């Protein structure tokens, strides 16, 4: 149970103390008496008072002196005081009482009900102050707890991030080593398969020819996949270097068009290109070739047989620095707007990879989820921007997708 509020009464006359105590007993309070200023001071050492009622005229130390001393002490500096005085009931002495920090003043003889009312108000104020202090202490406690938790979580997160970074670095160097290790024997397989394919005795035998072609196609595909992995690692480590040269996007796209001619025919896809008005831009043609290769392969993969793909480009006239915009558009299955940004992060694929059909150029053919991350890395290296526009994913109505790329015409590659 909460302790009753304590009231300190100070008077040198026992009969006054007696009367006052009797009167205050009408309230839910504990009354402590002091017959002098020094007595009162020593009581405040052991008790916390809600208020004090102090007689002004006392020998040794008068009421004002006592209250001044109380004000100087941290624990009693805000103690409400009612001065009671028989003699100095004029305005001057009222003022003196207030200056000493008192909150109220009563002249003797006092009317009991008025004194009780004043005391009640002080007690209410005291209760309110106590509640506020308790709430404040609670808030401070919560705050400290919260801060500690946030600090702990931050530390945990920092540690987890460090571990992840380490793991990511390990993974990256593992992939780099494996990729380089695979490349050498793969080049041998590729080289021998090419030799086999052109050997007259193999050429004369249809079955051997089919087998040699199969080996070669597989080896080329593996070679490409390894190349894509290495590109991603280079982008991740910021070491995708660009060679600064004049690049004709029309020439780059037309060479890709030739490379993919068989696939386009096989999948009955039409590819129209309009890059006539696009000027040569400063960049790395090998990387730009990869950029459009990824975008075109995706357009092929995500467009059903018989669909349309287009690549259009133009110079953005109103840009302060000349820029070109290229749009790779397809009539494919489209992309849900929720994924328009996510698809550019590495390994991100919409839908389940298990549902993808195999084959790099088949409808919904499998991929490693790196194509667009690499495309974005290449565009960023050229100080450009890439984004996708599509009404949504719909495999029946095929709303299509449009990948926009904006590249500066004259810009040295970013660091
Ligand atoms: P993936 O190897 O899976 O093709 P990408 O990084 O190239 O990886 O693409 C990420 C995802 O973006 C794909 O899994 C696919 O869901 C979606 N996507 C990319 N291009 C297209 C497109 N032209 N049409 C529809 N979806 C696309």
């Amino acid at each position: 149970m909460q302790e009753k509020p304590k009231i300190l009464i100070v008077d040198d006359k026992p009969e006054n103390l007696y009367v006052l105590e009797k009167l205050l007993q009408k309230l839910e309070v504990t009354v402590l008496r002091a017959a002098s200023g020094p007595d009162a001071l020593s009581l405040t050492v052991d008790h916390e008072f809600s208020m004090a009622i102090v007689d002004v005229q006392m020998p040794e130390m008068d009421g004002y002196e006592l209250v001044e001393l109380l004000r100087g002490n941290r624990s009693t500096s805000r103690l409400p005081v009612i001065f009671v005085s028989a003699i100095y009931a004029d305005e001057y002495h009222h003022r003196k009482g207030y200056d000493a920090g008192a909150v109220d003043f009563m002249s003797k003889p006092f009317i009991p009900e008025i004194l009780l009312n004043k005391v009640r108000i002080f007690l209410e104020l005291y209760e309110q102050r106590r509640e506020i202090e308790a709430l404040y202490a609670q808030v401070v406690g919560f705050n400290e707890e919260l801060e500690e938790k946030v600090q702990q979580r931050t530390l945990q997160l920092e540690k987890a991030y460090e571990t992840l970074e380490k793991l990511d670095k390990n993974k990256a160097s593992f992939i780099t080593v494996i990729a380089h290790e695979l490349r050498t024997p793969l080049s041998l397989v590729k080289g021998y398969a090419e030799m086999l394919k052109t050997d007259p005795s193999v050429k004369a035998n249809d079955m051997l020819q089919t087998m040699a072609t199969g080996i070669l196609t597989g080896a080329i595909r593996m070679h490409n996949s390894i190349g894509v992995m290495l590109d991603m690692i280079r982008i991740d480590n910021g070491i995708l270097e660009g060679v600064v040269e004049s690049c004709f996007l029309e020439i780059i796209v037309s060479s890709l068009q030739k490379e993919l001619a068989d696939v386009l025919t096989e999948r009955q896809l039409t590819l129209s290109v309009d890059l006539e008005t696009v000027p040569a831009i400063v960049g790395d043609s090998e990387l730009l070739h990869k950029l459009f290769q990824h975008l075109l392969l995706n357009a092929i993969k995500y467009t059903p047989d018989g669909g349309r793909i287009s690549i259009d480009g133009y110079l953005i006239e109103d840009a302060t620095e000349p820029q070109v915009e290229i749009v790779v558009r397809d009539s494919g299955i489209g992309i849900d707007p929720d994924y328009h940004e996510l698809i550019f992060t590495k390994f991100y694929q919409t839908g389940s990879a298990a549902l993808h059909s195999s084959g790099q150029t088949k409808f919904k053919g499998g991929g490693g989820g790196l194509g667009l991350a690499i495309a974005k890395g290449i565009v960023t290296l050229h100080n450009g921007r890439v984004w996708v526009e599509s009404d949504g994913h719909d495999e029946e109505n095929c709303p299509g997708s449009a990948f926009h790329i904006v590249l500066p015409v004259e810009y040295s590659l970013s660091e």
Side-chain angles (χ1 to χ4, degrees), residues 8 10 36-45 47 49 51-54 61-83 100-101:
L8 172 66
V10 193
S36 68
D39 277 3
L41 284 176
S42 64
L43 276 176
T44 59
V45 175
H47 301 271
F49 290 101
M51 61 174 297
I53 302 173
V54 179
M61 181 192 289
D62 75 12
Y64 297 136
E65 281 173 286
L66 166 65
V67 171
E68 253 169 79
L69 286 174
L70 289 174
R71 293 282 176 257
N73 191 315
R74 218 167 77 92
S75 63
T76 50
S77 63
R78 293 167 63 197
L79 182 72
V81 176
I82 298 177
F83 285 115

Side-chain angles (χ1 to χ4, degrees), residues 133-404:
E133 276 171 2
L135 271 176
Y136 181 72
Q138 231 176 353
V139 170
V140 169
F142 279 149
N143 233 358
E144 278 170 5
E145 216 176 291
L146 209 71
E147 258 172 40
E148 203 175 305
K149 274 197 182 147
V150 168
Q151 234 169 5
Q152 273 176 5
R153 283 283 145 82
T154 313
L155 271 179
Q156 281 171 348
L157 275 177
E158 271 171 9
K159 265 204 179 145
Y161 186 73
E162 264 174 37
T163 316
L164 267 182
E165 262 197 332
K166 249 187 223 162
L167 286 176
D168 203 45
K169 270 199 184 131
N170 286 351
K171 191 186 70 196
S173 45
F174 173 72
I175 294 176
T176 314
V177 171
I178 293 289
H180 282 298
E181 283 297 312
L182 285 176
R183 254 194 174 176
T184 322
L186 202 59
S187 300
L188 285 176
V189 174
K190 222 172 93 190
Y192 283 124
E194 261 159 18
M195 279 161 68
L196 265 181
K197 223 186 133 191
T198 47
D199 185 89
S201 58
V202 175
K203 266 187 162 173
N205 183 323
D206 278 355
M207 195 183 72
L208 288 181
Q209 180 67 20
T210 313
M211 285 169 137
T213 310
I215 296 172
L216 186 60
T217 315
I220 291 173
R221 191 156 163 209
M222 257 177 103
H223 198 267
N224 289 343
S225 300
I226 290 171
V228 168
M229 282 198 292
L230 286 174
D231 283 343
M232 191 65 245
I233 301 279
R234 282 192 212 113
I235 287 175
D236 265 0
N237 295 338
I239 47 170
L240 189 71
E241 286 150 17
V243 181
V244 180
E245 59 197 339
S246 237
C247 303
F248 291 90
L249 297 183
E250 208 181 356
I251 295 177
I252 291 173
V253 170
S254 113
S255 84
L256 271 167
Q257 209 171 355
K258 279 190 201 114
E259 279 171 38
L260 296 167
D262 289 348
V263 175
L264 291 166
T265 315
E266 190 192 322
R267 297 275 324 277
Q268 297 163 310
L269 296 166
T270 51
L271 170 61
S272 58
V273 179
D274 182 1
L275 296 171
E276 259 174 42
T277 57
V278 175
I281 67 163
V282 172
D284 180 316
S285 56
E286 200 184 313
L287 292 179
L288 291 172
H289 182 273
K290 282 183 185 170
L291 162 68
F292 288 105
Q293 188 177 37
H294 285 299
L295 293 179
L296 257 179
L297 280 174
N298 277 351
I300 291 171
K301 265 196 311 193
Y302 299 106
T303 303
D305 292 4
R308 295 175 319 279
I309 300 169
S310 64
I311 304 184
D312 300 301
Y314 53 90
L315 181 69
I316 305 178
E317 306 275 8
D318 58 342
T320 31
E321 283 186 288
Q323 294 176 316
V324 293
E325 178 162 355
I326 318 289
V327 186
V328 180
R329 200 181 297 273
D330 62 52
S331 62
I333 57 176
I335 304 163
D336 192 313
D338 282 352
Y339 302 121
H340 284 187
E341 294 204 4
L342 276 174
I343 52 171
F344 291 97
T345 48
K346 64 181 166 169
F347 303 123
Y348 191 86
Q349 295 178 300
T350 58
S352 160
L355 295 178
H356 290 170
S357 59
S358 63
Q360 237 184 338
T361 51
K362 296 241 171 69
F363 179 45
K364 296 203 281 172
L370 293 179
L372 288 181
I374 292 176
K376 187 171 181 176
I378 295 172
V379 173
T380 309
L381 184 79
H382 284 79
N383 283 307
R385 287 179 295 128
V386 58
W387 72 95
V388 67
E389 285 173 9
S390 171
D391 286 343
H393 178 99
D394 184 344
E395 299 197 11
E396 259 179 39
N397 298 312
C398 287
S401 309
F403 284 82
H404 294 248

